[in-house]
Amino acid sequence: MSSSSSLPAKPPPPPRPKTRGSYNCGRCGQPKKGHVCNLPSPAAADGAAPPSPSPSSSGGDTRLRRALSFDEPSSPEKKPRPDHDGRTMELGGRAVPVDLVVEVLRRLGPRGVLDAAAVSRAWRDCADRVWRVAEELRLRPAAAGLLGALLPRCAALSRLVLHMESDVDATMLSCLAFSCPSLETLEITMADKAINNMTGEELSRLVSEKHSLSILKIGGCSNLGFLNLSSSSLNVLWLSDLCSLSESVISCPNMSELSLCFTQQSTECTDLVSLMDGLGRSCPNLRNLHISSIQLSNEAVSALEGANLRGLCMLSLILGSKMTDAAVASIVRSCASLALLDLSGSSISDSGVGMICKAFPHTLSRLLLALCPNITTCGIQAATAQLPLLQLMDCGMSLRSNLQNEKQGAYFGEINGRIRLCPKLPTLKKQPMRQKLIIKHDNLKKLSLWGCSAIDALYVKCPELIDLNLNTCTNLHPERLLLQCPNLKNVHAFGCQDMLIGAIKNQKLINRKNLMKQCVSTGV
C-alpha cells in the first residue's frame, strides 16, 4: 500500500453558514441589493434552456404593477423630463441644481421672473426656460414693448390675459399675431385711462391669422368701425364697448357663445336687425347669446326669429326699452328650450311673463326681469308658481314707487348683492304703493328684489333659498316680513331701515333653530 493511500481522506469543506437566501445571490453569494451578477446560472452552464421570465421578475414589460404605482418604474423606456440636464449653478456659495431653480421660478409671477432674469446670465437662462414652457400668462403691461420682448419666448403659451394700462395699437396686435403659435385664449381688458385703438380691419386680421384661437374677449372696442370676423376655430367671442358699427358680419360656424355689449350713448346707431338676421346663417351652432344695446327693439328680436337659432339655451337681451310683449312672442316662437332668459330693461308686461311660463316650464331655471316697470307682483308670483325648475330670479327695480334716483341714474343691482349705476331708462314709471308679494317655491335658490320700493309686505317660503337681495327696499315694513327659508345664508339689505335689518337677523336665527330641531327630530 502506498503512502498516499495511508493518509486520511480530506474532510469536506464546512457548509456555508445559512443566510437569508432570498437576500443573497444564488450564484456568487453576494447580497442582491444593488448587485448585478455576471456568472451564468447552473442550468445555463449545463446547456439547459433558461427558464422563461415570470410576471413577477424584475425585467421585461410583463411585470405586473398596481394601477396607481407609488414606485418609480425602472424600465429603460422612461423618458426624462425635457430641459432637465443635471446642470448646477452657484447660489449663496453652494451648487444648486438648475432644475430646482427653474421649479422655484415657475411658482413666481411674471414680474418676479423678469426681475430674476436681470440678476445674471445663469438666472436669465433659468428664466428663459420658464418662458418656454409657460402655458398661461396674466400680465398688466404698462407698455407694448414688454409684450414684444416677452411673447416671442413663450412658444407653448395657450392662454393670455392682459389688463392693459397703456393704449392698444397696431404694434401690439402685430406682436400677438406673429407670436404664440399655440394661443387658444386671449382676453384683453382696459384700465381706466387706457384706450383701445384697435380697428375692425386689425381685429379681423388677428382672428384670421390665429388658427388655433378658440376664446376671444376684448374690452374697449369703441373704435372698430365695422365687424367682419371669419374663423372656423373661434368658439367664444366677447366684445364690449362697441359703438356704431357700420357693418356687422360674424362668420364662425363653430361658435357657441357670443356676447356683444354696445355703449349707451345717444350716438349709438348700429343696425341690430341685419346683425340678428345674419347670425343664423353664419353661426348656426350658437348656444349662448348676450346683446346689450339701447337699439334693441321688436324688429331686431323678430330678425332673430328668422335666424332659426333653435339650439339656443341662454338668451340675454338687455337695456332694450323698445322691446315689448311682441318681442317675447318672437322669442317663444324661435327658441325651443331656454334655460336662461334675461330681458332686463325691457318694457314687457305680465302678459309677456305668462307667455314665458307657458313656453319653458320644463327648461327655464334662471329668469332675470330687472328694470321692467310694466311687470307687477302678479307677474312675479305667476312666474314662481308656473316655473318649477326656477333657481334664480331677479326682479330688481321693477316694482318702484317713486323716481327719487332719476337725476343721478337708476341703480342696477346684481344677484349677489352688489349695486352699480346705469343711465336712467325712459320707461321707468310709478307703481302703486303698498304692494304685497308672496313667493313660494321648492327649488328657488337666489331671489333679487333690489330697489323694489313699492313692496311693503313680503312673504317668502322657499326651503332651498340661500341668497336674498333686498337692497334699497325702503318701504318694506319689518312687521310685514316673513321668511320661511331654513337654508338662507346671505341677505343683502343695503339702504333698508334699521328695524328691518333687525327683523331679518331675528328671522334668520329662528329659521336656523327650527332647522336644528328638524335635524334632531329626524336623526340627521
Side-chain angles (χ1 to χ4, degrees):
M1 188 177 223
S2 63
S3 61
S4 61
S5 60
S6 62
L7 295 176
K10 187 178 181 179
R16 188 172 56 188
K18 186 175 182 181
T19 59
R20 302 174 72 176
S22 60
Y23 283 79
N24 290 346
C25 178
R27 303 176 186 175
C28 62
Q30 298 295 327
K32 285 184 177 179
K33 184 176 181 181
H35 167 66
V36 178
C37 185
N38 297 322
L39 297 179
S41 63
D46 295 339
S52 60
S54 63
S56 61
S57 63
S58 60
D61 295 334
T62 58
R63 180 174 60 174
L64 299 179
R65 299 196 196 102
R66 295 173 300 190
L68 292 176
S69 178
F70 299 99
D71 302 323
E72 286 293 333
S74 58
S75 59
E77 291 78 14
K78 181 185 177 183
K79 297 182 179 179
R81 291 182 59 182
D83 290 340
H84 281 212
D85 49 13
R87 293 184 299 170
T88 60
M89 60 182 293
E90 186 176 350
L91 185 62
R94 301 179 59 182
V96 178
V98 173
D99 300 337
L100 178 61
V101 178
V102 172
E103 290 297 327
V104 173
L105 292 181
R106 290 179 61 186
R107 287 161 173 78
L108 299 179
R111 175 57 58 184
V113 180
L114 290 173
D115 293 341
V119 175
S120 65
R121 183 174 181 178
W123 282 94
R124 184 169 63 251
D125 293 340
C126 294
D128 288 340
R129 289 172 58 175
V130 173
W131 298 129
R132 283 199 300 268
V133 299
E135 297 181 355
E136 179 177 353
L137 279 181
R138 295 177 178 269
L139 303 173
R140 298 174 63 95
L146 174 63
L147 296 177
L150 182 59
L151 293 184
R153 307 178 188 178
C154 306
L157 192 65
S158 61
R159 178 180 174 85
L160 178 60
V161 180
L162 301 175
H163 183 72
M164 299 301 300
E165 296 180 351
S166 62
D167 295 349
V168 174
D169 52 15
T171 303
M172 197 199 80
L173 292 181
S174 299
C175 177
L176 291 174
F178 292 103
S179 305
C180 312
S182 303
L183 191 63
E184 297 178 0
T185 301
L186 175 60
E187 300 182 18
I188 301 177
T189 57
M190 309 301 298
D192 294 337
K193 297 182 179 180
I195 300 176
N196 188 348
N197 295 315
M198 184 187 310
T199 65
E201 182 180 0
E202 294 167 349
L203 179 60
S204 302
R205 187 183 306 113
L206 176 66
V207 172
S208 62
E209 292 178 354
K210 287 297 180 183
H211 302 291
S212 60
L213 192 62
S214 175
I215 300 176
L216 179 61
K217 301 179 181 180
I218 302 180
C221 301
S222 57
N223 296 314
L224 289 184
F226 70 95
L227 194 62
N228 189 357
L229 303 180
S230 178
S231 173
S232 59
S233 62
L234 201 59
N235 184 262
V236 176
L237 176 62
W238 289 11
L239 301 177
S240 61
D241 302 318
L242 295 167
C243 182
S244 300
L245 298 178
S246 59
E247 181 183 357
S248 304
V249 178
I250 303 176
S251 180
C252 302
N254 295 318
M255 182 177 293
S256 63
E257 182 171 342
L258 175 62
S259 175
L260 302 177
C261 295
F262 294 83
T263 61
Q264 300 175 33
Q265 302 175 0
S266 58
T267 56
E268 158 59 24
C269 58
T270 302
D271 185 6
L272 291 182
V273 176
S274 60
L275 173 63
M276 296 285 202
D277 183 62
L279 287 179
R281 295 186 298 270
S282 57
C283 306
N285 294 316
L286 270 181
R287 297 293 178 267
N288 305 333
L289 177 61
H290 171 80
I291 295 181
S292 172
S293 173
I294 58 176
Q295 296 297 327
L296 281 169
S297 60
N298 294 339
E299 292 76 14
V301 181
S302 178
L304 183 65
E305 177 185 356
N308 193 27
L309 297 175
R310 302 290 294 178
L312 278 179
C313 297
M314 298 183 180
L315 178 61
S316 176
L317 305 174
I318 67 173
L319 299 183
S321 59
K322 302 175 184 178
M323 293 189 303
T324 63
D325 292 340
V328 178
S330 299
I331 293 173
V332 168
R333 290 192 296 265
S334 60
C335 301
S337 56
L338 286 179
L340 179 147
L341 180 59
D342 187 356
L343 298 177
S344 298
S346 66
S347 299
I348 70 171
S349 65
D350 292 346
S351 299
V353 177
M355 287 189 285
I356 294 172
C357 296
K358 292 180 181 179
F360 312 111
H362 305 298
T363 60
L364 198 63
S365 61
R366 284 171 285 181
L367 180 61
L368 296 94
L369 301 174
L371 289 164
C372 297
N374 296 329
I375 294 178
T376 66
T377 54
C378 296
I380 296 174
Q381 292 174 168
T384 55
Q386 301 177 30
L387 297 173
L389 301 182
L390 201 62
Q391 296 185 6
L392 182 151
M393 187 168 186
D394 184 4
C395 309
M397 221 63 164
S398 293
L399 305 175
R400 295 186 64 196
S401 60
N402 50 58
L403 298 177
Q404 72 273 16
N405 293 322
E406 186 177 81
K407 292 184 179 180
Q408 75 260 23
Y411 285 108
F412 200 99
E414 298 179 7
I415 200 67
N416 59 1
R418 294 179 294 178
I419 293 182
R420 56 189 174 90
L421 288 173
C422 74
K424 65 177 183 179
L425 300 178
T427 54
L428 290 178
K429 60 183 181 181
K430 292 184 178 181
Q431 292 257 3
M433 286 287 293
R434 297 188 178 182
Q435 298 188 45
K436 182 179 181 180
L437 182 61
I438 301 175
I439 295 180
K440 298 180 181 180
H441 203 281
D442 293 334
N443 296 316
L444 194 64
K445 294 183 178 180
K446 293 186 177 183
L447 175 63
S448 183
L449 299 171
W450 58 273
C452 292
S453 55
I455 300 177
D456 74 332
L458 177 63
Y459 173 45
V460 181
K461 184 178 181 181
C462 301
E464 298 296 326
L465 192 70
I466 59 176
D467 194 292
L468 177 61
N469 189 343
L470 299 177
N471 285 330
T472 62
C473 289
T474 53
N475 294 318
L476 184 58
H477 289 258
E479 62 273 11
R480 305 191 67 182
L481 173 68
L482 180 58
L483 303 177
Q484 293 185 347
C485 310
N487 292 315
L488 189 60
K489 295 181 180 179
N490 304 317
V491 180
H492 310 279
F494 172 80
C496 296
Q497 306 175 27
D498 293 338
M499 294 183 63
L500 178 63
I501 296 175
I504 293 173
K505 292 181 178 179
N506 292 335
Q507 295 203 27
K508 286 185 64 178
L509 182 61
I510 294 174
N511 288 332
R512 190 177 297 111
K513 290 182 178 179
N514 293 336
L515 180 61
M516 293 178 62
K517 291 180 181 179
Q518 181 180 0
C519 293
V520 171
S521 62
T522 56
V524 178

